Structures are given as structure tokens and as C-alpha cells.
Amino acid sequence: RKEVEQDPGPFNVPEGATVAFNCTYSNSASQSFFWYRQDCRKEPKLLMSVYSSGNEDGRFTAQLNRASQYISLLIRDSKLSDSATYLCVVKVESGSEKLVFGKGTKLTVNP
Amino acid sequence: DGGITQSPKYLFRKEGQNVTLSCEQNLNHDAMYWYRQDPGQGLRLIYYSQIVNDFQKGDIAEGYSVSREKKESFPLTVTSAQKNPTAFYLCASSTPGDRGSYNEQFFGPGTRLTVL
């Protein structure tokens, strides 16, 4: 089983749609979780950290289920500018600075 | 402005030549990282460094070398021993967190290396 697995996508949705991305991780000792966004041919940028209690930032909601080793990202009222690849990222080792990146899920929001 | 710079943005080299990619940060971050990204693939860790004069191999270190003589700088050399060097190379930095904190990484704009 890969350390971090994401929905393969791609997702094509109309403007205003709600879209959800899922991610699973294999190491139960994983401590920190993030969603990054990567635009075409650009560097990844942190979208949001994922907290145990779940967290929301505007139209974006991230949730963590430690028992199922599952992370999700929900985007409401999607905009054209949300089109990008979304990367699920996990810090898998205690005391390590290493992050493990999923392959990403590509989202295209259509007018 | 604080940030991470990588140069050059595009780099072309002939097969068999070593090439060094630059990465500089003025964020005062202790940790720095090098990743490689291939089309349709996730980022893979090449090397990382948590303090000056120390670095560790990542998952795909073969054919690469690094140095960390200064806190701000973490250059990556792609040697002729790297079998498939053409890729998008990303440098990142972060601050070591306290126990239970979050160690997000911040990325530079990347260098696209093409070996002809």
C-alpha cells in the first residue's frame, strides 16, 4: 500500500459545484497533514493544514479521520480559479522533517 | 520580501554533464529540501538538510549530491550518474516544529532541467 493515496481524478465540475477530494495514508503514526495546491507548471503552495477537529477556511473544509486514516478536502461554490492539482501531504515519521506527497488530483472548474 | 529563489528557471544540458541547481532562502528556515517531480507523479524527496553542514538522503538520492555550507543556501548537483535527470526540481524550506506542531514547507518556483 502506498504511503499516501489520492483519488486519481481528473475532476471536471461546473462553476458553483461542490467537490470533495479524498486521501488515505498508511502510517498510523502520521502526525501532520496538509493540502497543497499546485497550478500547472508552478510550485506547490500550502492551501491549508488539517487539524484533528477539522477546519474550515472560507469555501474550503478539511477533515481528518485518524481511525480510518483518511483525509478529505471539500470545496464549496467552486470558482474557475480553483482549477489546479490538489496534493495531499502527510508527515509520516515522528521527529522527522520529511513530508510524503500524494500524486495529486486535478480539478478543472468549467464556466 | 522573504522567500525562496531558485535559478535558473529553465536549464538545458548535454548528457554526461554535471549541473548544479541553486536554491536560496531568506526566511531564516533551518530545514531545506530538494524534490523531483515527473509528469503525473508526486513529489519525491532527493535530499534534505535540517542544519548547516548536515544533510540526509531522501528516497531517490542516487546520482545527486548536495551541500549546506550556509543556512540560506542548499545547492543540488545532478551528476552524470543520474539515469533520468530530465525533471522539474523543487526546493523547499521549513522551520522545525515543536512536538505536535505543523511543519508545512514553502517551495521555490522550481527549475526545469532538460538533458539532451
Side-chain angles (χ1 to χ4, degrees), chain A residues 3 31-34 36 38 40-46 49-52 87 91 93 95-104, chain B residues 9-10 31 33 35 37 40-43 45 48 50 59 88 90 94-97 101-110 112:
Chain A
E3 286 186 285
Q31 294 186 327
S32 303
F33 310 90
F34 310 92
Y36 277 72
Q38 186 174 24
C40 189
R41 301 180 70 80
K42 299 284 191 181
E43 74 273 23
K45 294 185 178 179
L46 180 67
S49 301
V50 186
Y51 304 129
S52 296
L87 308 176
K91 188 172 96 166
E93 295 177 22
S96 167
E97 297 300 320
K98 290 173 62 175
L99 298 182
V100 178
F101 288 74
K103 291 185 178 181
Chain B
K9 189 171 182 179
Y10 298 96
Y33 313 80
Y35 294 91
Q37 188 175 36
Q41 300 295 316
L43 276 69
L45 182 64
Y48 66 105
Q50 294 180 263
D59 301 317
F88 186 35
L90 288 156
S94 72
T95 51
S101 70
Y102 301 95
N103 302 102
E104 61 265 33
Q105 294 179 8
F106 299 91
F107 286 83
R112 290 194 181 274

Side-chain angles (χ1 to χ4, degrees), chain B residues 42-102:
Chain B
L43 276 69
R44 292 185 289 168
L45 182 64
I46 304 172
Y47 268 99
Y48 66 105
S49 167
Q50 294 180 263
I51 57 172
V52 174
N53 292 323
D54 188 45
F55 47 82
Q56 287 78 41
K57 291 182 179 179
D59 301 317
I60 54 165
E62 186 175 351
Y64 299 97
S65 65
V66 293
S67 62
R68 187 86 187 276
E69 297 177 2
K70 299 186 296 182
K71 187 175 185 179
E72 316 80 69
S73 180
F74 191 41
L76 173 75
T77 297
V78 184
T79 75
S80 56
Q82 168 49 233
K83 297 282 188 277
N84 298 296
T86 294
F88 186 35
Y89 289 88
L90 288 156
C91 178
S93 69
S94 72
T95 51
D98 295 328
R99 187 173 180 175
S101 70
Y102 301 95

